[in-house]
Amino acid sequence: MVACPWLVSVTTRLSSEPIRLTLSRYGLQESGLREALKVSLERGVRAWNQVGHSCGAPELVLAGESSYWRAEPDGRNLVVLRSEEWCLNGSCGSTKTYPNQALAMTSTWPEASLGRLVQEADIELQTAALKRLLVGHVGGGLHGQQALDAIVVHELGHVLGLEDLCSAHVLSTARVSGSTICPTDAAERAMLIASRRAAPSQGDAAALCELWRADSTASAAVGSKSSALTITLLVAAMGLLAAVMLARRRWQRR
């Protein structure tokens, strides 16, 4: 459950624009996994929208299904199951092979984008591991629908621009050493790596709102600059027009 960015951009996403999620039919042949994933997506979308509504975060919207299956910058926010090699689009390589222990990966576009710079995000889920998870054959004490809910909530946080918090190992090390490398409430957050939370915590909600309140401020600042630029250009155009008219009158008097 680690964000995997790949491309670069400087454009920021507007909080007023909903984020439409498309579920790929690719890999959804097994009805049990298909229905379980749909339930988790519905719950995750509802949970994030509830905490983000009060602070202007983008609304997550389930936009139906598609036969499309590639995670790439194409204008879609795709959710897709990978039943073949656990790699980006099922094609392995030095920069495309995912960790075996990761049950899901989110690629954000443009590359290395987080926060308001995320224009698109594609979630890939490891089919074989999820099947074992749903029948309780994965360790860690959490399995079934609740475990899938936790995975989906975490990945949807990446779609909204949130980044991973420290891993459980780093968290325990920080507690022993007294380090402040992790937030004090990290263990309760859905954005903790390998989190077991099936819904965002108050800390997750605060991080989301901090991100998107900043977006509103930035948008207002950009709007003010745009207005000032428009006024400046208008004044300049009026001055140029007046100069042309004056020159024309002088020419007519000759």
Side-chain angles (χ1 to χ4, degrees), residues 1-216:
M1 294 184 283
V2 181
C4 298
W6 303 97
L7 298 176
V8 170
S9 171
V10 294
T11 308
T12 58
R13 173 181 272 162
L14 297 178
S15 59
S16 59
E17 297 178 352
I19 300 174
R20 300 176 65 82
L21 298 161
T22 300
L23 177 60
S24 174
R25 287 189 288 270
Y26 184 81
L28 283 179
Q29 291 83 1
E30 296 188 37
S31 58
L33 187 55
R34 177 192 186 104
E35 294 309 314
L37 181 55
K38 284 185 175 181
V39 168
S40 290
L41 283 170
E42 290 170 357
R43 291 176 177 175
V45 164
R46 183 165 58 249
W48 279 114
N49 285 344
Q50 285 175 348
V51 300
H53 176 72
S54 62
C55 56
E59 179 186 11
L60 295 173
V61 177
L62 294 176
E65 299 182 10
S66 169
S67 58
Y68 204 75
W69 61 276
R70 294 185 61 83
E72 58 188 5
D74 57 4
R76 299 179 179 90
N77 296 288
L78 195 68
V79 180
V80 58
L81 288 165
R82 294 280 174 240
S83 57
E84 62 285 342
E85 295 291 337
W86 183 221
C87 310
L88 177 67
N89 293 323
S91 177
C92 296
S94 58
T95 62
K96 297 181 179 181
T97 302
Y98 298 148
N100 285 332
Q101 67 271 25
L103 303 183
M105 298 291 284
T106 297
S107 299
T108 58
W109 318 97
E111 184 181 6
S113 58
L114 292 169
R116 294 176 287 119
L117 293 179
V118 176
Q119 293 294 299
E120 179 190 334
D122 297 318
I123 300 173
E124 296 175 276
L125 301 110
Q126 189 181 170
T127 301
L130 293 184
K131 287 167 64 176
R132 295 195 301 271
L133 186 75
L134 288 173
V135 296
H137 292 166
V138 173
L142 190 67
H143 56 82
Q145 187 71 55
Q146 185 181 7
L148 185 55
D149 289 351
I151 293 169
V152 169
V153 161
H154 181 96
E155 301 307 323
L156 289 177
H158 290 317
V159 175
L160 287 163
L162 297 177
E163 56 186 316
D164 284 319
L165 292 179
C166 49
S167 66
H169 171 72
V170 173
L171 178 60
S172 62
T173 304
R175 283 176 172 172
V176 171
S177 65
S179 170
T180 57
I181 193 171
C182 300
T184 56
D185 66 339
E188 303 301 319
R189 294 207 196 179
M191 295 314 296
L192 177 73
I193 296 177
S195 169
R196 298 181 181 181
R197 284 195 61 89
S201 68
Q202 290 183 348
D204 293 312
L208 182 70
C209 288
E210 181 180 2
L211 171 64
W212 289 101
R213 284 198 184 104
D215 176 67
S216 299

